[in-house]
Amino acid sequence: MNKITQCDCHLHTDNSFDSDTPAERLAERARELGIEYIAITDHCDILEWSDANIARSNAQAAWLNEQYDDLTVLRGIELGEPLQAPEQTAIALGLCEYDFILCSLHNIEGEEDFYFLHPDREKAQDLIGRYFDELLEIVRWNEFDSLAHFTYPLRYITGRDGVRVDMERYQPVITEILATLAANGKALEINTSGLRSPDGFLLPTVEYVRQFGELGGRFITLGSDAHVPEHMAVGMKEGIAAAKAAGFHAATVFIRRQPVEFPFE
Ligand SMILES: [Zn+2]
Ligand SMILES: [Zn+2]
């Protein structure tokens, strides 16, 4: 079988508030698809995380990893909004041994998740500016392995609501974020979930992946952000094509927080 991808490093189980998928189903699906590495990255949105869910997710990943010779299951979290409650973030990071910390920002400080917002163009420009400002603080903080779904607000503002925004005005802060990520030796995620909506696109689009490489970025992680087994690896072909077009030759998986590169076939 010509496999779609060697790895999918962004997956949710029923230990996330927005998924009903038992972890075993993800492992089964990965084996059906011939995927060798998956990272379970249940939500740890720091303002409303559950230590019981994170501990369970971690234990399930570790247990599943013992069950198969042809599949590695990595213990990850999707750590959301880490700087909005730093003491909680420290507790979450110390709770378990992790392979992979995927860092994300779904809602900027004092606002709801972009999923719930329907701003007009002017308001959207303000919100996106604040999103990048907070993201810059996060990459300077640096206690993670890969930055998830960069340009997340566009999934809803443009992809869902069709509001076109001027991205050029953010280029200085975007450059600063990507350069900091690169200098710190961290990874940028190519998140393929956007491709599952009608007018969707990769998060981020290939131009930002290319900028990351030009600024010295070395590591790319691939994530479908699947909340159901059927979405595993969906869009990976496009994600890998974007990585290659941007000048990357490998996908990276984090094992015990260390990058391991897998050259594209
Ligand atoms: Zn996310
Ligand atoms: Zn996610």
Side-chain angles (χ1 to χ4, degrees), residues 10 12 18 41 43 45 78-81 102-106 113 148-149 152 155-156 189 191 193 225 227:
H10 190 154
H12 294 275
D18 54 358
T41 54
H43 284 294
D45 290 326
E78 182 177 3
L79 178 64
E81 301 79 53
L102 178 64
C103 191
S104 63
L105 183 59
H106 302 108
D113 190 316
H149 46 60
Y152 174 80
R155 180 194 277 179
Y156 302 110
E189 177 189 66
N191 184 301
S193 66
D225 210 345
H227 290 64

Side-chain angles (χ1 to χ4, degrees), residues 7-13 16 38-46 49 54 57-58 74-83 89 92-93 97-106 131 135 138-139 141-150 152 155 181 186-193 196 203-204 219-227 236 252-258:
C7 47
D8 188 339
C9 290
H10 190 154
L11 299 165
H12 294 275
T13 75
S16 289
I38 58 170
I40 293 181
T41 54
D42 280 309
H43 284 294
C44 185
D45 290 326
I46 211 62
W49 71 294
I54 294 304
S57 172
N58 194 276
L74 299 162
R75 303 157 298 173
I77 44 170
E78 182 177 3
L79 178 64
E81 301 79 53
L83 300 186
T89 296
L93 289 175
E97 195 176 316
Y98 301 104
D99 288 298
F100 181 47
I101 308 294
L102 178 64
C103 191
S104 63
L105 183 59
H106 302 108
Y131 165 80
L135 216 49
I138 288 173
V139 296
W141 168 70
N142 196 32
E143 302 289 320
F144 63 92
D145 301 312
S146 183
L147 185 62
H149 46 60
F150 184 64
Y152 174 80
R155 180 194 277 179
L181 198 62
K186 303 302 182 189
L188 180 70
E189 177 189 66
I190 298 179
N191 184 301
T192 65
S193 66
R196 296 198 288 271
L203 295 170
F219 303 120
I220 288 290
T221 64
L222 298 170
S224 67
D225 210 345
H227 290 64
M236 281 297 170
T252 295
V253 164
F254 283 81
I255 302 174
R256 292 179 177 268
R257 311 284 315 273
Q258 296 302 313

Side-chain angles (χ1 to χ4, degrees), residues 23 40 96 104 112 118 132 134 163 177 211-214 241 250 260:
I40 293 181
C96 303
S104 63
E112 286 187 282
H118 299 274
F132 286 126
E134 189 166 335
V163 177
I177 291 166
Q211 286 183 24
F212 178 59
E214 286 168 357
V260 179

